């Protein structure tokens, strides 16, 4: 069930979540001590999380073993592949454990070979070993780990992610006796320090949920694309358009979730359309989505013919916009019917340009959240209320007050909902518009 989540970038076993570190109140040494307290003040929460994590790892490996045992014929035919896999696994174990466990591994393999049942014995040993771990009969001191750190806001201006990772790594080694392994660790520890919170957790899956198996070439993050489609409230039988579809990620995510819809993607770039076509074939959706070559400012569609528009407006870093944001929104306004919805991903520069043109920027009560991360919050503006409600912290509210200014609607397009999302090094605004009337002359 967890693996089926669409908007989650990654899932973590939460160890610690607290208010952000106050970087302006002390020296670096004092702040480093505060970071180490996330580990040293409550070691029991760490051990509890490790036990849960090991149980999850045990369940996953048991499932793989049961799947192999369910089809003996297939297993026998693929015996050579299994042996090769076990050899690779043994080599990885040698790299990780260069102490007594390495010798123990060799002894077990030798005994299994003498009995002529190498595969069966190896599996039995793995399962017994994991069961011992699960019931806590072994200590956690044999774990190898790696720290993945992400810093944003004020903390990122004071410390690098490498500095923070080093502080946490040393604290973990001292507290639990774990060994650092940057290449192939047993365990990954995730740290996120921002102006909203300080979070420490353990990833539940080694591969991020955003890595969709059905997408051949990634464009926009699939989690962001799915969230935009969800925000659009797509209805069965609707005509959904992405007038700047790129590699088609938004349409792919939408068609997977809401299949009984007519989807059209337009783009002026031949290379992007070819990439989108390859993605549609790989996902088995070539018959569900129609691709056309067209400019976003000259769409070959009748006025008021589209129910929903969903689009990631290029930020001008990888692909130049080439057209004024005002002209783009005017054409979208033309083809969208009255009562229709447009969900757009806009950069801060887009918002400034819209403000300069007298168009729409970000609603004042739009609160910051990061898509796919803890603390994502929704901004609804149905009644024109102003003010930031329920700020996470005074510093957060103060830093965002100036940038979240109310502006008039863009023609007949009225902003009704907004998220501020993090796209790694770039922030963006996911804005939902409703068309209330036909555009004037």
């Amino acid at each position: 069930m967890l693996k089926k989540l669409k908007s989650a970038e990654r899932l973590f076993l939460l160890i610690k979540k607290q208010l952000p570190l106050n970087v302006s109140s002390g020296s670096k040494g004092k702040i480093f001590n505060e970071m180490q307290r996330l580990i040293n003040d409550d070691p029991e929460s760490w051990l509890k999380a490790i036990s849960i994590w090991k149980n999850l790892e045990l369940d996953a490996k048991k499932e793989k073993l049961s799947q192999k045992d369910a089809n003996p014929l297939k297993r026998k035919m693929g015996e050579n592949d299994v042996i090769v896999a076990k050899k690779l696994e043994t080599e990885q174990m040698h790299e990780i454990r260069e102490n007594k466990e390495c010798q123990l591994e060799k002894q077990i393999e030798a005994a299994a070979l003498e009995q002529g049942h190498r595969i069966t014995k190896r599996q039995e040993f793995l399962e017994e070993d994991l069961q011992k771990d699960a019931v806590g009969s072994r200590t956690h001191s044999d774990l190898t780990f790696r720290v993945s750190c992400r810093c944003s806001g004020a903390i990122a201006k004071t410390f690098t992610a490498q500095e923070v990772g080093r502080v946490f790594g040393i604290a973990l080694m001292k507290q639990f006796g774990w060994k650092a392994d940057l290449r192939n660790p047993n365990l990954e520890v995730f740290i996120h320090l921002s102006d909203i919170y300080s979070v420490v957790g353990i990833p539940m899956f080694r591969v991020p949920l955003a890595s969709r198996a059905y997408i051949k070439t990634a464009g926009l993050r699939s989690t962001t694309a799915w969230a935009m489609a969800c925000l659009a409230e797509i209805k069965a039988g609707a005509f959904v358009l992405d007038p700047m579809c790129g590699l088609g990620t938004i349409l792919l995510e939408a068609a997977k979730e809401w299949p009984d819809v007519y989807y059209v993607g337009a783009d002026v770039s031949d290379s992007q359309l070819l990439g989108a076509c390859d993605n549609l074939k790989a996902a088995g959706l070539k018959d569900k989505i129609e691709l056309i070559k067209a400019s976003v400012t000259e769409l070959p569609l009748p006025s008021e013919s589209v129910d929903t528009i969903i689009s990631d407006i290029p930020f001008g870093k990888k692909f130049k916009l080439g057209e004024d944001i005002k002209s783009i929104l005017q054409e979208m306004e033309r083809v969208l019917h009255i009562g229709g919805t447009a969900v757009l991903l806009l950069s801060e520069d887009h918002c400034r340009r819209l403000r300069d043109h007298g168009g729409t920027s970000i609603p004042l009560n739009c609160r910051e959240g990061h898509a796919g991360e803890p603390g994502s919050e929704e901004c609804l503006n149905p009644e024109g209320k102003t003010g930031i409600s329920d700020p996470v912290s005074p510093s957060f509210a103060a830093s965002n007050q100036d940038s979240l200014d109310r502006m008039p609607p863009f023609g007949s397009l009225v902003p009704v909902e907004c998220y501020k999302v993090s796209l790694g090094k770039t922030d963006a605004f996911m804005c939902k518009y409703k068309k209330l009337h036909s555009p004037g002359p």
Side-chain angles (χ1 to χ4, degrees):
M1 289 176 65
L2 292 175
K3 286 183 177 179
K4 291 179 180 178
L5 292 175
K6 293 287 190 175
S7 62
E9 191 79 25
R10 300 192 76 180
L11 295 179
F12 301 90
L13 292 170
L14 182 65
I15 298 176
K16 220 46 162 167
K17 181 178 180 180
Q18 64 184 42
L19 291 174
L21 298 174
N22 188 357
V23 296
S24 62
S25 63
S27 63
K28 274 195 172 185
K30 185 178 179 180
I31 298 168
F32 283 154
N33 287 334
E34 288 186 36
M35 292 179 187
Q36 291 173 338
R37 290 183 62 183
L38 289 169
I39 298 169
N40 300 330
D41 282 3
D42 188 13
E44 287 300 318
S45 64
W46 283 82
L47 297 177
K48 182 180 179 181
I50 293 297
S51 296
I52 296 172
W53 171 76
K54 284 195 171 185
N55 280 328
L56 291 172
E57 290 278 297
L58 172 65
D59 290 340
K61 290 179 181 180
K62 273 186 175 180
E63 185 178 352
K64 289 180 181 179
L65 289 175
S66 65
Q67 289 172 353
K68 290 178 183 178
D69 293 336
N71 193 341
L73 180 61
K74 182 178 179 181
R75 177 182 167 188
K76 186 176 181 180
M77 292 175 63
E79 187 172 359
N80 291 335
D81 294 335
V82 175
I83 292 173
V84 171
K86 295 303 173 184
K87 286 182 178 179
L88 291 174
E89 182 180 356
T90 302
E91 290 173 3
Q92 291 176 348
M93 294 290 288
H94 287 172
E95 292 180 4
I96 296 172
R97 300 176 179 179
E98 296 176 354
N99 49 24
K100 295 181 181 179
E101 286 192 343
C102 179
Q103 297 176 356
L104 179 62
E105 181 78 9
K106 290 179 179 179
Q107 293 172 3
I108 292 167
E109 287 182 3
L113 283 169
E114 288 175 2
Q115 295 174 19
H117 302 290
R118 172 175 178 152
I119 299 172
T120 304
K121 288 297 180 182
R122 184 68 184 88
Q123 290 172 339
E124 288 175 357
F125 167 73
L126 176 62
E127 187 168 2
E128 289 172 3
D129 187 48
L130 288 169
Q131 286 174 341
K132 289 178 182 179
D133 283 352
V135 299
S137 61
R138 296 177 60 191
T139 66
H140 302 310
S141 60
D142 59 344
L143 280 176
T144 59
F145 76 99
R146 172 177 66 204
V147 176
S148 297
C149 185
R150 179 179 177 184
C151 299
S152 59
I155 195 82
K157 297 176 182 178
T158 309
F159 304 102
T160 65
Q162 289 76 14
E163 285 179 306
V164 174
R166 192 179 302 112
V167 170
F168 276 98
I170 292 172
L172 288 169
M173 286 189 287
K174 288 183 178 179
Q175 181 69 42
F176 301 111
W178 300 344
K179 295 179 181 179
D181 185 344
L182 301 181
R183 293 181 60 193
N184 191 22
N186 304 131
L187 178 71
E188 181 182 2
V189 177
F190 179 80
I191 315 286
H192 186 192
L193 305 179
S194 70
D195 292 337
I196 309 172
Y197 46 58
S198 300
V199 170
V200 183
I202 300 172
M204 294 184 64
F205 307 112
R206 295 186 183 274
V207 179
L209 296 179
S211 301
R212 310 284 206 244
Y214 50 81
I215 294 182
K216 182 179 179 180
T217 306
L220 177 67
R221 279 186 187 174
S222 55
T223 47
T224 304
W226 185 91
M228 292 176 69
C230 186
L231 193 62
E233 299 179 285
I234 299 171
K235 301 292 191 297
F239 178 6
V240 176
L241 169 71
D242 183 350
M244 306 180 77
C245 68
L247 294 173
T249 308
I250 292 175
L251 296 175
L252 279 169
E253 289 294 325
K256 281 284 186 181
E257 191 78 9
W258 299 275
D260 300 325
V261 175
Y262 177 51
Y263 293 101
V264 173
D267 206 288
V268 75
S269 167
D270 289 327
S271 61
Q272 291 291 290
L273 288 173
L274 285 173
C277 188
D278 289 341
N279 276 339
L280 297 189
K281 289 179 182 177
L285 293 172
K286 190 177 179 181
D287 297 334
K288 289 282 187 180
I289 302 170
E290 183 178 348
L291 298 176
I292 59 175
K293 182 176 181 179
S295 169
V296 66
T297 57
E298 297 179 357
L299 296 170
L301 297 170
S303 297
E304 300 186 5
S305 60
V306 177
D307 298 298
T308 304
I309 294 174
I310 314 172
S311 193
D312 169 23
I313 310 299
F315 290 7
K317 294 184 177 180
K318 188 174 182 181
F319 299 101
K320 296 296 182 183
L321 193 57
E323 300 287 350
D324 185 78
I325 185 67
K326 183 180 178 182
S327 301
I328 292 173
L329 262 65
Q330 283 176 338
E331 182 67 352
M332 291 183 182
E333 181 187 21
R334 180 187 71 79
V335 300
L336 191 65
H337 74 63
I338 297 173
T341 299
V343 176
L344 307 177
L345 191 65
L346 303 171
S347 69
E348 293 180 347
D349 183 57
H350 292 150
C351 297
R352 282 193 294 269
R353 293 189 183 196
L354 286 172
R355 188 185 304 118
D356 293 340
H357 283 298
T360 304
S361 186
I362 304 307
L364 181 60
N365 71 332
C366 175
R367 297 182 293 169
E368 181 174 4
H370 295 272
E373 297 170 4
S376 256
E377 296 187 79
E378 181 178 356
C379 159
L380 297 173
N381 187 35
E383 299 175 0
K385 296 179 181 178
T386 60
I388 297 178
S389 58
D390 301 327
V392 178
S393 68
S395 60
F396 161 70
S399 64
N400 284 276
Q401 185 68 44
D402 293 337
S403 61
L404 304 181
D405 298 323
R406 178 175 298 283
M407 298 293 286
F410 185 90
S412 61
L413 299 178
V414 177
V416 294
E417 201 167 336
C418 177
Y419 294 88
K420 186 174 183 182
V421 297
S422 171
L423 303 178
K425 295 181 179 180
T426 306
D427 285 341
F429 296 95
M430 192 186 300
C431 297
K432 178 179 178 179
Y433 295 86
K434 284 284 185 181
K435 182 175 177 179
L436 300 186
H437 55 80
S438 297

